[in-house]
Amino acid sequence: MSELRQELDEIAFSGGAKLTGVADLDAVSDRVPNVMERIGDVPVNRAFVIAMPLHRGVFKTIADRPNPLYMHHYRQVNYKLDRVAYELATAIEERGYLGVAIGASHNVKRKPMVGHISHRLLAAWAGIGWRGRSNLIVTSRYGSQVRLVSMLTDAPLEPDEPQLYCKCGECRACVEACPANAIGETFEEFDLEACYKRLCENQHISFVSHHICGVCQKVCGGERAIRKADR
């Protein structure tokens, strides 16, 4: 299985991913019983999760709301992620296993906003990062400035060590930056309704027309932002 993991990593990295991880879906389901409820009865027990960074330069163009440049960048990264997930599922099925690529940003319900499965939940269990106060995945290297995609499979890949505890420490930059006042002290306190209301407002910005924001991500740049500031 180490050979298969290496092959999957190579596909992910060649497609632009910077971080990968494997989550044990059985362990996730034990903690979150409804995690697979929108997937259906598919005999999968692993999730191969990848993270692709968003560009710091694009975040510099954001003030208190998204703009057309950010919207385009967001869509392009989602497109790249979906292509990589397709290639991963193809490779895994050629090995005789099942592969289910889950779209990077495809909602199946609006109120509340949910997708087929939570990439953030899987990313934490795959060891890619932890759930920050903003309810986003926070990585050591990129902060929360990443997008995620997942490929579910029955291949017996070795799971990575989960990151199930917040490591944000004293940092509250996202709390102070959030234009919706939706971020509390823990991700469990995150006010999804307030966030969604703001996203609906953003949807009416000229040439944005998406439920996106990016303001809290702008202030959470991880080690790459710190390294740049120290130069």
Side-chain angles (χ1 to χ4, degrees):
M1 284 303 104
S2 60
E3 179 184 342
L4 178 57
R5 172 64 188 269
Q6 182 177 353
E7 179 183 346
L8 297 179
D9 280 346
E10 289 174 356
I11 292 171
F13 295 145
S14 67
K18 296 299 183 182
L19 304 169
T20 68
V22 175
D24 182 341
L25 289 177
D26 292 333
V28 180
S29 295
D30 286 342
R31 184 76 66 90
V32 187
N34 64 347
V35 65
M36 296 287 289
E37 66 179 355
R38 292 179 296 276
I39 298 297
D41 189 19
V42 184
V44 292
N45 57 8
R46 295 289 186 271
F48 187 84
V49 188
I50 73 171
M52 193 174 292
L54 294 158
H55 293 163
R56 292 177 60 239
V58 174
F59 280 115
K60 292 292 186 182
T61 71
I62 295 177
D64 62 344
R65 65 196 64 195
N67 57 36
L69 183 62
Y70 174 71
M71 183 276 291
H72 178 73
H73 183 54
Y74 174 94
R75 290 181 62 185
Q76 290 301 304
V77 174
N78 284 345
Y79 173 77
K80 285 172 66 68
L81 284 166
D82 287 347
R83 290 295 304 171
V84 173
Y86 172 82
E87 296 297 336
L88 290 168
T90 298
I92 210 85
E93 294 224 334
E94 288 179 349
R95 288 287 199 108
Y97 301 106
L98 296 176
V100 183
I102 307 296
S105 183
H106 182 231
N107 293 327
V108 297
K109 190 177 180 181
R110 286 277 175 93
K111 293 184 178 181
M113 288 182 68
V114 294
H116 283 102
I117 200 167
S118 172
H119 296 302
R120 288 170 292 182
L121 176 66
L122 298 183
W125 278 88
I128 285 177
W130 62 90
R131 297 281 282 276
R133 292 185 173 89
S134 62
N135 200 32
L136 298 175
I137 281 293
V138 180
T139 70
S140 296
R141 183 177 179 186
Y142 299 103
S144 66
Q145 295 175 0
V146 296
R147 297 289 299 156
L148 305 165
V149 80
S150 307
M151 187 274 295
L152 313 183
T153 183
D154 60 343
L157 297 165
E158 183 70 23
D160 288 294
E161 187 68 26
Q163 295 194 53
L164 304 183
Y165 302 98
C166 181
K167 300 178 183 178
C168 294
E170 298 299 318
C171 180
R172 287 172 173 76
C174 63
V175 179
E176 298 169 3
C178 179
N181 294 316
I183 302 175
E185 286 300 305
T186 66
F187 77 83
E188 291 93 347
E189 297 176 13
F190 180 75
D191 189 340
L192 180 58
E193 183 176 349
C195 178
Y196 181 69
K197 181 179 179 181
R198 180 72 180 199
L199 296 183
C200 289
E201 295 172 3
N202 293 344
Q203 188 182 23
H204 298 292
I205 298 172
S206 296
F207 303 104
V208 172
S209 66
H210 278 64
H211 288 86
I212 57 175
C213 183
V215 176
C216 68
Q217 288 177 290
K218 176 183 178 179
V219 299
C220 184
E223 291 174 355
R224 66 171 175 170
I226 295 171
R227 287 199 302 269
K228 177 66 175 179
D230 288 341
R231 289 176 186 170

